[in-house]
Amino acid sequence: MATIMAEAPVQQKSNGTAPDKRWVYLFNALDVLEKEVQPASWDDVRSLLGGKGANLAEMTRLGIPVPPGFTVTTEACNAYLAHDRNFPPGQWEQEVAAVHTLEQQTGKRFGDAENPLLVSCRSGAKFSMPGMMDTVLNIGLNDETAQRMAELTGDPRFVYDSYRRLVQMFGSVVMGVPDEPFEQIIEEVKEIRGVRLDVDLLAEEWQQITARFKGLIMAYTGSEFPEDPYKQLELATRAVFDSWFGKRAVDYRNATGIRHDLGTAVNIQTVVFGNMGEKSGTGVAFTRNPVTGDRELYGDYLMNAQGEDVVAGIRNTLPIGHLKQEMPKVYTQFLQICEKLENHFHDMQDVEFTIEQGTLWMLQTRDGKRTARAAIKIAVDMAKEGLIDKKKAIGRVQPAQVDMLLHPQFGNEAKKQAQADGRLLVEKAVNASPGAAVGMAVFDADTAEKWAKEGKPVIMVRPETKPDDVHGMIAAQGILTSRGGATSHAAVVARQFGTPAVCGAEELHINLEQRLFTVQTETENIEVQEGSWISIDGGAGEVYLGQLDTQEPDFEREVELKTLLGWADEVRVLGVWANADYPQDAERARRYGAQGIGLCRTEHMFFQEERLPIVQEMIMARSKARRVSALDKLLPMQRADFEGIFRAMDGQPVIIRLLDPPLHEFLPGHEQLVQELADLKVRLQHFHTLSEIDAALAEVRHKEDVLSRVEALRESNPMLGLRGDRLGIVMPEITEMQVRAILEAAVHVKRQGVDVYPEIMVPLVGHVNELKTVRKLTEEVAADVFKQTGMEVDYKFGAMIEVPRAALTADELATEAEFFSCGTNDLTQTTFGISRDDAEAKFLIQYVEQGILPRNPFQQLDRSGVGKLIEMAVQQGRQTRPDMSVGICGEHGGDPDSIGFCHQIGLNYVSCSPYRVPIARLAAAQAALA
């Protein structure tokens, strides 16, 4: 009997760690861990063993059939990475000892040709990162054990299929050989045999393929595939540790916000074989539908296969329900285990299993990745079922998932028209991840990432995706594959990121070399080249040629979301208001649950087509009288706008900001006018009739007049020039018109029975005397309006905190202002001393990528700088006026992290886009629970 004995790895350098420290825990030693480590919570166990290792240990403790194994801790990984990729003292010896324990548990011997123990080596971080790190199966096979196993089992095809998997995975994962040459060898052999599927290849063909794989490894690396099982195990362990900082893993963690210092555990598990014939198989399943959230088993399996075949998408799979007919007893046992796991972990589980000659084994369980819709439905349903409480349900759903759910969808009419035009390419593929996506077809991950950075929307098209494609998948608007099922890599990752995906579209014939795909329809063969526009419906599994129009989803039909947000409203402290400039915006905001309007920007109303000429007339006026005349024309228009918003927000406050931008923004640009004048003067030379010349000269004089006014208004830095309250003080008639329109509208709707609460906000305040000046004018206009109408309306007068001096002197401003609203967009610009547009175009993205700034401060509030100013404004303002209401109204009002900060410092409300109101409601509740 030939036995290959354990060999120690290359001598390790000491890293200062005590040699008696435990780095390895058996799956059945969870009680030992809890006694030694005394973890404060299950989270601590997951931190040490990784999510996979912790759950395998817990399943073992629950009596669920789990193949024996052990876990090398995340601490070992971090020690290895921190000390020049050397195992910490004692780790390898503990691994070898654990292998000997597995030998006792299984009755097999590692490296023994007569009765070999084979193991898998898998990663397992604290947080699930599906497919992002490395796995090696069937460790322990070599030429001698494979030959003897073939003799003992009488099934050489199974043995050499297993052996070639080890060599292929080891070559790719451990020795760095690209995947494609291995697949090319398999495809060549299948073509020679004239077969389509891997399962159709014979034992001798797999034996030949394995030999060619070994030659490939030698050619690429200059090293031979190791025959020593312990060397295989050592190198595989190192490879999994190293994969923690592989590109795809780093990209994934960056995209999901997972810390880079957690490390990964390594799980060594006895191999059970799903490729031992027609009574063996493997699969992946979810205890609830991860697409819809319905309470039904959902997944795929393959007979006579190993697990990687399912998730890789190389073979199209069978739905898990089909197993009930094929192996009813196994299916019933599997259902019972799934129910037990969900009840134990109180969440939808994603499980992997293998059936070895009719015996069921569970290889993994973890909280399943799910779509936004499924996340919300599962959370609400589990709360109603009593598995979790309402607070837990609120915490289960990420605000970003609410955002995903409310993304635009394809309308029925657009889809019907596309079908009528013959643009439906794929009608019924796997609806892997819902949502509508429109983009240009690209055929590799690098191109997808590059084009996306250039601002091009892309849909990544692949036969199947691999973990190395994750950077392109993150960048893409949608994902389309010709192979793979609902639990393939493409489907799982797409659901994780809320990216629409259609998988298993067998109608597509993808040519990666020519960078195109073709589809044979009933009438023609359609060719789609890279860069062509396509549209995919991930909820229906449909693919269309060209760009389909999208439409806003119907919020009222989202029953589970409305239920969840209702629970959120019960616990949140922060109010959630909306930014709305028109009545229809206010109506939408109210439908989405807004409790008020935190910012109505009056300047947006001035840009409407019928109003812009009147605004320009006001700006061009050379005298106050002519300016007032133009403003009198604008007054009824502004008043009607405000009446519409007040009606929409009946019973809720509406903050209206007085005119903010500099006046030149309403006029044509200087360069444009100079060019138009030059062109006009050239054309003037070609006119012949007196009427043509007179008309042209009149136009020249008009443009010269406009150019003169533009030059008079031109400023070196208009963002810090004549705008906001400064403009309202220099030209008080503008402020007077706006205040009159606000209060006349309020009186009018109040007479009609509307409960109205107007709040007048002064922008860009920097000094209390500015506020005093505008307040005096406001009160004079208010007195006149109330006298003329014979009715009064309660209103508030407040200041917008947009410059550092306003925050620093908030105690003084509070003597005049009854409320503060922090305009975080401009406050960020003035605090950092940067222009947003210029910064984002020139250096800000680079700053974030290089780690100079932790994040874009215009997307997530800069707590340590801008945040300190806001907190100072809150504290000082309330020292002067204890009942001072303070909120924010920049884009940060819809950012969950920024909302958490607003809750911490005691703001009264956040105000955001109407579309982000549901997100803010949930984020505010989670901040309160935190």
Side-chain angles (χ1 to χ4, degrees), residues 154-319:
D155 190 351
R157 189 214 167 276
F158 147 69
V159 173
Y160 285 104
D161 178 28
S162 301
Y163 192 17
R164 69 88 188 177
R165 291 173 188 270
L166 167 63
V167 178
Q168 181 176 358
M169 297 178 90
F170 199 93
S172 174
V173 168
V174 179
M175 305 186 78
V177 181
D179 291 331
E180 288 75 12
F182 291 110
E183 293 297 333
Q184 188 174 351
I185 289 171
I186 295 175
E187 292 303 316
E188 286 175 5
V189 175
K190 286 195 293 188
E191 187 173 347
I192 292 170
R193 266 289 313 281
V195 298
R196 189 170 65 89
L197 300 176
D198 293 359
V199 292
D200 296 325
L201 292 176
L202 303 175
E204 54 268 27
E205 288 158 344
W206 283 126
Q207 194 170 6
Q208 294 166 9
I209 287 170
T210 304
R212 290 181 65 182
F213 280 0
K214 289 184 176 183
L216 182 68
I217 291 171
M218 186 66 184
Y220 264 85
T221 68
S223 299
E224 293 184 346
F225 169 79
E227 293 282 317
D228 179 356
Y230 280 97
K231 179 57 68 174
Q232 295 172 10
L233 181 60
E234 177 206 335
L235 294 178
T237 303
R238 291 179 183 277
V240 173
F241 280 167
D242 289 337
S243 72
W244 175 253
F245 279 113
K247 183 181 186 305
R248 64 183 188 245
V250 172
D251 287 343
Y252 186 92
R253 291 198 297 275
N254 286 336
T256 54
I258 297 173
R259 284 169 28 212
H260 294 296
D261 61 353
L262 298 176
T264 181
V266 175
N267 297 287
I268 309 299
Q269 190 170 24
T270 303
V271 172
V272 288
F273 294 98
N275 58 336
M276 289 188 74
E278 295 309 312
K279 290 187 178 180
S280 300
T282 188
V284 177
F286 296 80
T287 57
R288 301 196 186 208
N289 189 314
V291 178
T292 65
D294 291 338
R295 193 175 183 181
E296 61 184 10
L297 198 61
Y298 178 100
D300 301 303
Y301 76 101
L302 284 168
M303 299 307 291
N304 200 17
Q306 282 196 287
E308 294 302 305
D309 296 339
V310 177
V311 297
I314 295 170
R315 290 168 55 188
N316 286 342
T317 53
L318 295 170

Side-chain angles (χ1 to χ4, degrees), residues 831-872:
T831 300
F832 275 91
I834 58 178
S835 159
R836 176 176 185 172
D837 291 342
D838 292 331
E840 290 187 330
K842 300 291 175 62
F843 65 86
L844 195 53
I845 294 173
Q846 182 180 348
Y847 266 37
V848 174
E849 289 178 348
Q850 293 183 3
I852 296 171
L853 288 176
R855 60 194 63 85
N856 185 334
F858 293 103
Q859 296 175 352
Q860 192 173 103
L861 193 69
D862 166 43
R863 295 190 179 202
S864 57
V866 177
K868 281 184 179 177
L869 288 172
I870 296 173
E871 188 171 11
M872 185 182 299

Side-chain angles (χ1 to χ4, degrees), residues 26-30 53-69 105 269 341 362:
L26 294 163
F27 290 168
N28 63 359
L30 190 55
N55 287 349
L56 284 167
E58 184 69 354
M59 282 199 293
T60 301
R61 184 158 65 177
L62 290 171
I64 290 170
V66 174
Q105 291 174 339
Q269 190 170 24
L341 289 173
M362 303 301 295

Side-chain angles (χ1 to χ4, degrees), residues 373-429:
R373 182 176 302 282
I376 293 165
K377 180 171 174 55
I378 289 169
V380 170
D381 286 353
M382 285 189 169
K384 290 180 176 179
E385 293 163 15
L387 270 180
I388 58 176
D389 59 22
K390 290 181 181 179
K391 292 181 179 179
K392 182 71 75 175
I394 292 168
R396 281 278 171 86
V397 178
Q398 298 301 312
Q401 292 174 314
V402 176
D403 187 24
M404 294 171 194
L405 184 63
L406 298 177
H407 278 179
Q409 308 289 331
F410 294 137
N412 288 332
E413 291 304 315
K415 292 170 74 169
K416 286 179 182 177
Q417 186 60 53
Q419 291 178 32
D421 295 341
R423 292 191 287 133
L424 177 60
L425 303 180
V426 177
E427 186 173 4
K428 199 66 178 175

Side-chain angles (χ1 to χ4, degrees), residues 28 75 92 113 216 271 447 546 559 649 671 692 869 875 898 925:
N28 63 359
E75 290 180 346
W92 178 247
L216 182 68
V271 172
T447 304
V559 179
M649 301 307 294
E671 291 78 8
E692 287 178 331
L869 288 172
Q875 293 171 352
S898 305

Side-chain angles (χ1 to χ4, degrees), residues 63-138:
I64 290 170
V66 174
F70 59 87
T71 299
V72 185
T73 67
T74 59
E75 290 180 346
C77 174
N78 286 330
Y80 168 85
L81 295 171
H83 294 87
D84 299 325
R85 288 172 160 73
N86 287 299
F87 287 155
Q91 178 201 312
W92 178 247
E93 291 77 8
Q94 291 177 32
E95 277 200 61
V96 171
V99 169
H100 292 329
T101 303
L102 295 189
E103 291 175 332
Q104 295 170 9
Q105 291 174 339
T106 62
K108 299 178 180 181
R109 295 288 303 279
F110 194 52
D112 183 357
E114 296 298 323
N115 189 20
L117 168 67
L118 305 184
V119 297
S120 62
C121 179
R122 299 174 185 264
S123 62
K126 177 180 180 179
F127 300 107
S128 176
M129 297 170 54
M132 296 304 111
M133 290 178 292
D134 288 332
T135 294
V136 181
L137 301 179
N138 307 333

